[in-house]
C-alpha cells in the first residue's frame, strides 16, 4: 500500500464530500495527517487540476476534473450502455422515474435514471447510494443472493441498527417468489417503488426500478407496471448475456445458488 | 510536486480512457514508469477501490469509484444546480437538445444536457470536451473574452491546425453583435446549434446551447428559438448573480473588458 497515494486520494474524497472550502489544518485533523503533509499534497493536486484554492485563507475545493474522468469511465460502462435504451423505452411506457442500480457492499449505487418531468418528489440520483435493505432495488438484488451473503452485507451496514432481519428475510423470500420487489414508503414517504433484478447466469448483477407517488402507482395499475418492468429487466439480461463480457466483480462475485 | 501521487492519478486517468483492460508493462511504457512501480501503484489503487484486476493476465480496469466521487462534486456544483430548472424549461419550450457548458482552456466541457427523446443524431454528452472554436457554445463564450485570450486559448489547441483565425474572429464579432452564436455543421454534419453566454459581472462563465437537425432548426423558427435561449441564459445569469458565490476560477479568470 502506497501511503502517499492513499492520502492524496483521501484528500480528493474529503473535498468531494464537503459543502464548503476546506483548509489544510482542518483536513489534517479529519484525516489524521500533518498539516504540512496535507499542504504538500494539496499543492500537487492543485497543479494536476483536481483541486483549486478557493480563497485567500488557503482553503481548497474539488474541481470538476474527477467528474470528467469518472464520466469517461461511465460512458463506456457495458451495463449502462446496454441498459439505457431499455430504460428509456420503459420510461416512455410507464411515465414514471426509472432507475438502474448495482449492489456495492450493503448499499445500492444508482448508475442511471430516466426522470419523469412531471414528478416533483425528490428521488435518488445517479452516483447516490442508499442502504440496500431500505429500497426496492436493493431487495431485488439481495433476494437473489445467498442468505448468508445478505446477512453479511446488511448487518455491518452503519444504518442497520434496529433493522428487523426476520421481516427483511420474509420480504426477500416473497420478492423471489413473485419475481419482483416492492417497497412502500421505503426511502421516501408516499412513494411506491417496484424493482426487478437483471440476472446474468443467475447472478443479480443489477436492478431496474420504477417509482412514483402512491396515487400514480395504484394497486390497479401495478400488474401492468410489473409486467413492463420485468420485461425490461429480462431484455437487458438477454442483451448482456449475448455480449458475453459481463464482469461485475464485487456485485457478481457472491451470487446465490438457491434452488427455490 | 509529489511524484507518487501524480503517477497514481495518471494510472487512473489512463485506465479511465482505455477501452480495454491494461497490464502493468503496457501502462509503464505509455507513462514512462517502471513496471514494478506501476504494479505497486495499481495494487494500492485496487485496495482503495479505484481499479480492479480484470483477468488472470493481471490486466486492470477502472471501477466506477472515480465516477461516484465525481458525481458527489457535480451534484453540488452551483452552476449546474442553478441552471438545471431553466435548462429543463427551455427544453420543454423548444423540444430540442439543450446543453450547459464551460470553457476549459481551448475546449468546451459539457456539464449538463437535457435530451430530446425524438432526436436520434449523436451529440455531445456531459463530461465530453470539444474544441471551443468548433462549436457554438465555444463561440458564445470566446466572443466575450479579450481577443488576446481567444488567440491564446485557440492557437495552442491540438486541433487548431489549419483553422482560419480571421474567419473565427469575424464570427466572434458577429456573435457579440447579435448576442448569440450559431454554428451550422459545426461538430456534426446537418446539425444547427445556437448558443448564448451566461454572463456574471460581464464574464462568460458558461454557455447555454440548443441544437437540432437543420429541418427542425429552420430559419423561420430561429428567432423564436434565439429568444427562448437568450431568456434562459439571462435568467440563469440573474439567479447566479443573486447567489453571489460564483467562482469559476479558470473560466472566469480572464474575461474581457471590451466596451463594444
Amino acid at each position: 500500500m502506497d501511503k502517499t497515494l492513499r492520502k492524496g486520494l483521501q484528500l480528493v474524497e474529503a473535498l468531494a464530500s464537503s459543502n464548503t472550502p476546506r483548509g489544510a489544518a482542518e483536513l489534517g485533523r479529519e484525516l489524521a495527517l500533518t498539516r504540512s503533509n496535507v499542504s504538500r499534497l494539496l499543492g500537487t493536486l492543485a497543479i494536476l487540476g483536481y483541486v483549486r484554492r478557493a480563497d485567500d485563507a488557503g482553503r481548497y475545493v474539488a474541481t470538476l476534473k474527477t467528474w470528467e474522468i469518472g464520466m469517461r469511465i461511465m460512458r463506456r460502462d457495458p451495463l449502462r450502455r446496454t441498459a439505457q435504451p431499455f430504460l428509456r423505452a420503459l420510461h416512455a411506457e410507464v411515465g414514471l422515474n426509472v432507475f438502474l442500480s448495482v449492489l456495492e457492499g450493503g448499499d445500492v449505487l444508482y448508475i442511471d435514471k430516466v426522470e419523469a418531468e412531471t414528478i416533483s418528489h425528490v428521488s435518488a440520483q445517479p452516483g447516490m447510494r442508499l442502504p440496500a435493505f431500505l429500497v426496492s432495488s436493493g431487495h431485488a438484488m439481495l433476494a437473489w443472493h445467498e442468505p448468508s451473503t445478505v446477512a453479511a452485507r446488511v448487518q455491518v451496514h452503519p444504518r442497520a441498527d434496529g433493522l428487523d432481519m426476520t421481516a427483511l428475510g420474509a420480504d426477500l423470500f416473497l420478492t423471489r417468489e413473485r419475481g419482483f420487489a416492492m417497497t412502500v414508503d421505503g426511502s421516501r414517504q408516499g412513494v411506491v417503488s417496484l424493482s426487478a433484478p437483471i440476472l446474468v447466469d443467475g447472478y443479480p448483477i443489477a436492478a431496474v426500478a420504477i417509482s412514483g407517488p402512491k396515487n400514480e402507482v395504484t394497486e390497479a395499475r401495478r400488474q401492468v407496471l410489473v409486467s413492463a418492468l420485468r420485461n425490461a429487466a429480462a431484455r437487458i439480461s438477454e442483451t448482456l448475456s449475448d455480449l458475453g463480457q459481463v464482469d461485475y466483480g464485487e456485485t457478481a462475485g457472491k451470487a446465490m445458488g438457491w434452488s427455490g
Side-chain angles (χ1 to χ4, degrees), chain A residues 86-185:
Chain A
F86 298 107
L87 302 180
R88 283 174 187 262
L90 178 60
H91 170 69
E93 193 176 346
V94 303
L96 300 168
N97 284 345
V98 169
F99 301 90
L100 177 70
S101 62
V102 295
L103 205 55
E104 294 260 339
D107 286 327
V108 159
L109 172 63
Y110 292 91
I111 296 292
D112 204 359
K113 178 183 185 181
V114 188
E115 199 162 19
E117 282 174 34
T118 53
I119 289 183
S120 60
H121 71 271
V122 178
S123 67
Q125 298 297 331
M128 278 178 55
R129 288 171 179 255
L130 283 171
F133 55 79
L134 211 58
V135 296
S136 73
S137 297
H139 290 197
M141 290 182 277
L142 291 176
W144 271 262
H145 279 81
E146 297 275 7
S148 61
T149 308
V150 172
R153 284 174 184 266
V154 169
Q155 281 169 342
V156 298
H157 198 287
R159 288 173 63 184
D161 250 26
L163 176 70
D164 182 341
M165 285 300 288
T166 310
L168 178 64
D171 189 284
L172 297 184
F173 182 81
L174 177 63
T175 293
R176 201 168 148 79
E177 282 253 306
R178 67 189 175 191
F180 68 93
M182 179 170 82
T183 54
V184 179
D185 305 327

Side-chain angles (χ1 to χ4, degrees), chain A residues 19-49:
Chain A
N19 285 317
T20 52
R22 308 282 299 273
E26 193 190 349
L27 287 165
R29 278 192 298 276
E30 183 183 317
L31 302 172
L33 304 171
T34 66
R35 183 183 168 146
S36 65
N37 203 336
V38 171
S39 291
R40 181 180 159 83
L41 291 167
L42 285 175
T44 298
L45 289 170
I47 294 169
L48 299 173

Side-chain angles (χ1 to χ4, degrees), chain A residues 8 48 54 63 66 70 76 80 89 109-110 123 135 151 157 160 169 178 194 198 204 222 229 236 242 246-248:
Chain A
L48 299 173
T63 66
T66 307
R76 260 198 340 266
R80 178 166 171 271
L109 172 63
Y110 292 91
S123 67
V135 296
H157 198 287
R178 67 189 175 191
L194 302 163
I198 297 175
R222 266 174 221 167
L229 175 71
I236 297 167
D242 289 351
V246 185
D247 167 19
Y248 282 93

